[in-house]
Amino acid sequence: MEQLCSGSVQSIPPSKKLRTASLEMEVESEVSVIRSTRVVVNDIICPADVVIQNGKIAEISPIKLRLRNIKEKVLDVGNRLVMPGIVDSHVHVNEPGRTEWEGYWTATRAAAAGGITTIVDMPLNSIPPTTTLENFDTKLEAAEDNCFVDVAFWGGVIPGNQAELYPMIQAGVSGFKCFMIHSGVEEFPHVTETDLHNAMAQLQDTESVLLFHAEKETHQEKAESNDPCEYDTFLNSRPDVMEVEAVNTVTDLCLQYDVRCHIVHLSSANTLNIIENARQAGAPLTVETTHHYLTLAAEHIPPGATHFKCCPPIRSKENQEKLWEALKDGRIDMVVSDHSPCTADLKLLQDGDFMKAWGGISSMQFGLPLFWTAARQRGLSVQDVIRLMCQNTAKLAGLEDRKGSLIKGKDADIVIWDPDKEFEVKEDLIHHKNKLTPYLGFRLYGEVYGTIVQGKLVYFKGRFAPKPHGELLLVRRQKAEKIFQPYY
């Protein structure tokens, strides 16, 4: 690999006019070789052939220095960038039970169109939620033969289900998620600190991870309620202190039990010093933020625009810049979509009531260009994109042995895209089931040209494979045998 290219590339070399592909591939084809003048290999970008055998990366070699098999299918993409497929570790698919919000068929097609080769499905908003082994089996049945990209699964921690955690670990969930505040759906209640002690006692001596929606009701007086159609009214109802209090609890538990913990969709930059202090004290703690916190700002949300509502809330531009600084210096580990769609009526656009509308933003398909458009302006490189959206997300979900890198022996999960191509987000481009998103009309850089999952071309120039071939990924974690005993 070291002899493939020389030098270090911190930014993308300028693209020249795109060459015509040497073979017009049919979608669903098994690709033998991807050829590009811009392949991301470790910390460099250079011309290379990515050779694929049996769905795995077999070799990455200089163009024309490899003996070619006349039967191999070469996809020459010219100057388009070739890199690992995105691993989005925070997606709400909602099937079964709320498939009208989003289902596996539509969610994974949208993922493929966005260069995402693996998603990890959250345990709530589906009915039943993934909180028991039986419910996990129901999830798997719903997903079977309906996924265009690979899918892994999070389990859930709710009050009283601690005895279910080990069976779900054995069955292959990537880890578990809990809420420290009302989740928005009755079938996934939030946990108390006693519940968390019970859960973390069960997760000790495992390689599993507990994800926290880190907001907590506080006794601190909130700003008076004003017009519910004004975004500030909603923002003031979920102040930074709710995240600060929750993160304090998470860090204390993480240090006490030495269980891997992860804070999902961090919104408030006021928590960053708490997280960093806990890490320095030895806490095995990671943190993510999302595209909406990095792209949208409270000052620019119009009255009644409830499709901007999410929890925790989108905060100020000043807060946003602090999140970007934390990304650049490594204090935030990854960036995800938190794709949380619903039907349009639940957003109450006619009333414009932020306090009553469903909180969740649809964005998964546009995660790569959303992030890249803002990141390129701040001096981040494609290697940063891979670290934050491929490698670290794969590692969080226990998939790093197969996903997240262009390395010999790993799955041939690849996105082919043009980082210099600008496009407008229009409704007819959107493949999510419900098209409502705050990003309509945005002009973004980074058009996805093709997506390959385990060597198979599942999306190519606006066309999809006719049949889904995605694998349901079961993660094998280790755990010392123990008998469940409640904390209290």
Side-chain angles (χ1 to χ4, degrees), residues 39-70:
V39 178
V40 183
V41 183
N42 296 327
D43 61 347
I44 53 180
I45 300 173
C46 60
D49 282 350
V50 181
V51 183
I52 300 169
Q53 293 177 0
N54 300 318
K56 303 285 186 182
I57 297 172
E59 180 186 357
I60 302 177
S61 65
I63 293 175
K64 297 181 180 178
L65 292 185
R66 181 183 57 83
L67 291 176
R68 179 177 173 181
N69 184 330
I70 60 172

Side-chain angles (χ1 to χ4, degrees), residues 148-193:
F148 287 81
V149 302
D150 291 350
V151 180
F153 303 87
W154 299 113
V157 169
I158 60 172
N161 83 325
Q162 289 81 6
E164 292 281 351
L165 304 187
Y166 183 36
M168 283 194 280
I169 290 172
Q170 289 184 306
V173 296
S174 285
F176 300 91
K177 182 185 182 181
C178 67
F179 273 71
M180 303 175 75
I181 195 171
H182 195 284
S183 71
V185 292
E186 297 300 326
E187 67 275 4
F188 200 96
H190 67 282
V191 291
T192 65
E193 286 196 37

Side-chain angles (χ1 to χ4, degrees), residues 43-178:
D43 61 347
I44 53 180
I45 300 173
C46 60
D49 282 350
V50 181
V51 183
I52 300 169
Q53 293 177 0
N54 300 318
K56 303 285 186 182
I57 297 172
E59 180 186 357
I60 302 177
S61 65
I63 293 175
K64 297 181 180 178
L65 292 185
R66 181 183 57 83
L67 291 176
R68 179 177 173 181
N69 184 330
I70 60 172
K71 295 182 179 180
E72 67 188 16
K73 295 181 179 179
V74 178
L75 180 60
D76 187 335
V77 299
N79 298 90
R80 291 181 177 91
L81 193 77
V82 171
M83 74 175 211
I86 303 298
V87 177
D88 192 341
S89 57
H90 194 145
V91 176
H92 294 268
V93 175
N94 308 330
E95 186 175 3
R98 291 191 176 96
T99 311
E100 70 274 14
W101 293 16
E102 188 73 276
Y104 286 106
W105 189 279
T106 49
T108 57
R109 277 169 63 96
I116 299 165
T117 51
T118 302
I119 64 171
V120 191
D121 186 14
M122 282 291 168
L124 74 157
N125 298 349
S126 59
I127 302 175
T130 313
T131 51
T132 68
L133 181 60
E134 181 181 1
N135 292 356
F136 182 38
D137 288 339
T138 301
K139 259 282 187 188
L140 293 172
E141 289 173 10
E144 187 71 36
D145 298 325
N146 281 313
C147 299
F148 287 81
V149 302
D150 291 350
V151 180
F153 303 87
W154 299 113
V157 169
I158 60 172
N161 83 325
Q162 289 81 6
E164 292 281 351
L165 304 187
Y166 183 36
M168 283 194 280
I169 290 172
Q170 289 184 306
V173 296
S174 285
F176 300 91
K177 182 185 182 181
C178 67

Side-chain angles (χ1 to χ4, degrees), residues 268-384:
S268 173
N270 290 0
T271 64
L272 290 168
N273 286 340
I274 303 168
I275 294 166
E276 189 60 24
N277 289 339
R279 286 169 155 175
Q280 291 178 1
L285 178 64
T286 52
V287 59
E288 71 187 35
T289 193
T290 71
H291 304 301
H292 35 276
Y293 301 134
L294 296 172
T295 305
L296 307 172
E299 296 91 330
H300 303 140
I301 297 178
T306 52
H307 48 304
F308 286 80
K309 179 182 176 180
C310 58
C311 299
I314 295 161
R315 303 193 187 274
S316 68
K317 182 67 174 176
E318 179 183 8
N319 180 83
Q320 181 184 93
E321 291 305 320
K322 291 177 180 177
L323 295 179
W324 275 106
E325 287 302 314
L327 273 175
K328 291 169 74 172
D329 63 25
R331 288 177 292 152
I332 294 177
D333 302 287
M334 60 199 78
V335 181
V336 297
S337 70
D338 185 17
H339 177 67
S340 186
C342 66
T343 52
D345 59 301
L346 295 178
K347 281 295 188 180
L348 305 179
L349 284 171
Q350 289 185 333
D351 298 331
D353 189 330
F354 281 101
M355 301 305 291
K356 294 180 180 178
W358 171 260
I361 289 179
S362 297
S363 66
M364 175 176 56
Q365 179 181 339
F366 302 105
L368 176 56
L370 278 168
F371 183 72
W372 177 244
T373 299
R376 72 203 296 263
Q377 298 173 348
R378 292 171 170 84
L380 277 76
S381 68
V382 167
Q383 288 82 0
D384 292 315

